Amino acid sequence: MASAITLAFVFGLIGVSLGVAIYSRRYSRTASEFYVAGRKISWLQNSLALTGDYLSAASFLGVAGAIAVLGIDKAWDGLGYFGGYIILLLLLAVPLRKIGKYTAPDALTTRFKDNRAIRMSAMVSVVIISTFYVIPQMVGAGALLQLLVGWDYVMAEIIIGALVITYVAVGGMRATTYNQIIQGMILWGAMFLILILTATTFFNTDLGAIMAQAKEMIPPQLAAELLAGDPSVPDWSTLTAGEAVAFVSMKLAGTPDALTPGVFASGWMNVIALAAGLVFGTAGLPHVLTRYFTVEKPKDARTSTMGVLIMVGTFYIMTIFVGLGAMYVLYPDLMGYFMGGQASIAQNMAVPLLSELAGGDVLLGIAIGGAFCAILSTVAGLLITIGTTVTHDFYKQVINPDASDLREVSVAKLSIVASGTMAVAFAIGLADQNVSYLVTLAFGIAASVFFPVLFLSVWWKRYTSQGALSTIVVGMVVSAVFVVARLMGYADLIGIPVLINPALYSLPAAMLAGIVVSLLTDDIGDAENFMVRAHGPNWEE
């Protein structure tokens, strides 16, 4: 059971989230307001909202936690996420805003007008990616609330689901944006405080000492695997951090240390596959792309991306030091968890455990509040994206083209409630399963579907509707096949190695399919006007 201070932080955030939704309700009556906040979000607001939208629980707890147990090799995650925003800045952010639609499928059919096959396949891709991303967040939210207040997991899921569904459906994109701004600032601030207090308490305010200590440590997850069954292993709870590190280093002399690459992603193909999946997956995530339709001017898309690069970049730099600091401070605990069959605690709870040691209940409350913010923010962004694409790309364009704004917003709210309810149901059903692979699948499909199809649509006039459809289908199929193969434990498929991320295969396959099919076909859509709109110097500036 959490302390009163921790609970105060969490329930205070819940109250703020609901208050923002109620305040924003009056701004969510038209389709433009509900979907993209009337395109009135400033570049600074969008930078902070993107930070909150993107820094999920996997980033706040997972990246630092993974570095704490596997070492510098897991810094690839943060570098990949950061690189994705550079790709967005250089290639897609401004053209997408100039196109000025509500969703990624809508942007595609601006060029390939009335092409239902493209619209439907892109819409289905948005729903699949967003669903596979939202379920792990909901599982984490339920587990966190269960840990905090001791509630039954099912009850925790219902409560957290009702909270997010309510504030997204009531307040639309404006409420989602304001909440993401608040949550993004709390996430960044929480990681900063954890870093400062960890360095002050355990390393004499010397970040260099953290790196020096990391050179002397063998990653706990690797050490636990190598020491499994060794009768000389001590009772870890009786050792100090220094004693535990010294024992493992003596027993496993010559084993890679925490600053040695390759512990997680071994071999150049795995490294490139992981980097490609993270970088191009970030650049193709539908809920991230949607945020570029909310700013007032195309130049704001560019500026907001530069802002989020600063926020996200500094955040992930902090996670490296926090993760390596946690490895040393918690070394006996982490070894005990791994060798005691409690790997999930070691992998996911390093940040809260470190926070409690460095700053007591107050910092623990801030850390748990930050994790809770990460979950709320990401789930909100995903639900608004699902609701927007189902309503605008399917209901409005296919079922009822004459629907009024009021009708469209009502259907969007119903779709958010329906998709949120299904996410809660899946999260309850998958409570005891390892669902982290769903995030891998989401990034793999995003890297293989939306990045290549949008990149080719925006930058290649010869791209055809048949090529676009081929890109979407091939990208989705190849990425899904290799993810399933990895989950089933296959080392290779017809002689092709199965890697830790499918993007090394699925992204080139999708690009190649789109290029080859485009060269063999001739329906380039409204390419001339589309290119002027996407790249014209004066369009909506």
Side-chain angles (χ1 to χ4, degrees), residues 242-258:
E243 290 169 345
V245 168
F247 174 83
V248 173
S249 298
M250 179 188 66
K251 291 288 292 185
L252 301 176
T255 304
D257 60 59

Side-chain angles (χ1 to χ4, degrees), residues 268-281:
W268 68 268
M269 290 184 70
N270 270 317
V271 171
I272 295 176
L274 179 61
L278 294 174
V279 170
F280 295 105

Side-chain angles (χ1 to χ4, degrees), residues 291-328:
R291 291 233 54 92
Y292 288 104
F293 300 119
T294 67
V295 292
E296 185 176 357
K297 299 176 182 179
K299 65 181 181 181
D300 293 338
R302 182 188 302 111
T303 311
S304 63
T305 306
M306 293 173 67
V308 81
L309 278 170
I310 295 171
M311 294 292 290
V312 170
T314 52
F315 181 90
Y316 285 121
I317 290 172
M318 289 190 289
T319 63
I320 294 174
F321 290 100
V322 168
L324 293 175
M327 182 186 293
Y328 176 74

Side-chain angles (χ1 to χ4, degrees), residues 204-261:
N204 198 28
T205 323
D206 182 4
L207 296 182
I210 296 178
M211 303 303 290
Q213 185 61 61
K215 187 69 178 173
E216 305 300 320
M217 294 185 292
I218 296 170
Q221 186 167 332
L222 175 62
E225 293 171 0
L226 296 175
L227 291 174
D230 189 323
S232 67
V233 169
D235 179 355
W236 298 103
S237 65
T238 65
L239 302 182
T240 65
E243 290 169 345
V245 168
F247 174 83
V248 173
S249 298
M250 179 188 66
K251 291 288 292 185
L252 301 176
T255 304
D257 60 59
L259 297 184
T260 303

Side-chain angles (χ1 to χ4, degrees), residues 29 45 174 196 240 264 322 325 355 366 412 425 482 536:
R29 293 170 183 168
Q45 290 173 326
R174 190 175 292 272
I196 293 300
T240 65
F264 173 71
V322 168
S355 301
I366 293 172
F482 276 95

Side-chain angles (χ1 to χ4, degrees), residues 327-342:
M327 182 186 293
Y328 176 74
V329 174
L330 300 172
Y331 203 89
D333 304 277
L334 297 174
M335 290 298 298
Y337 287 132
F338 276 119
M339 302 198 76
Q342 296 178 295

